[in-house]
Amino acid sequence: MTKPPYHDDQASFSAPIEDLQVRITFLDDLVEQLNQQLAIQTQEIADLKKQMQLLYQRVESSDLSEGIAPFDPLTNKPPHY
């Protein structure tokens, strides 16, 4: 018994469609993974910015002139001169 001609056409179209469905599923998963990673990195960057602001505030609020004499290049020469 021979197969009807439309069966071969259907089989030839179904394989590429299945391949495309698999690729779309893979790409959807990849996009979701990248989106999750982006959300994590965005939160990490926000945390790092907050830490940097706290450090800047601590440096600005501390008085660095205590215990450090001003340097005058004309009178204070390094020991190797």
Side-chain angles (χ1 to χ4, degrees):
M1 185 176 256
T2 62
K3 295 180 184 176
Y6 68 87
H7 182 69
D8 290 337
D9 290 340
Q10 185 180 9
S12 66
F13 286 124
S14 66
I17 290 174
E18 288 177 11
D19 289 343
L20 289 173
Q21 289 173 336
V22 169
R23 290 180 70 185
I24 289 172
T25 303
F26 173 76
L27 290 174
D28 284 343
D29 184 50
L30 181 62
V31 167
E32 182 60 31
Q33 289 177 9
L34 290 173
N35 191 28
Q36 289 174 356
Q37 188 63 35
L38 181 62
I40 291 169
Q41 289 179 350
T42 300
Q43 184 60 44
E44 288 176 351
I45 289 172
D47 291 342
L48 289 172
K49 283 183 178 180
K50 287 179 186 176
Q51 290 177 6
M52 288 295 295
Q53 287 177 349
L54 290 173
L55 287 174
Y56 282 133
Q57 289 173 357
R58 286 179 66 183
V59 168
E60 287 176 356
S61 67
S62 66
D63 189 11
L64 297 178
S65 64
E66 291 179 10
I68 299 175
F71 179 74
D72 182 15
L74 297 176
T75 59
N76 300 343
K77 293 189 180 188
H80 60 278
Y81 280 107

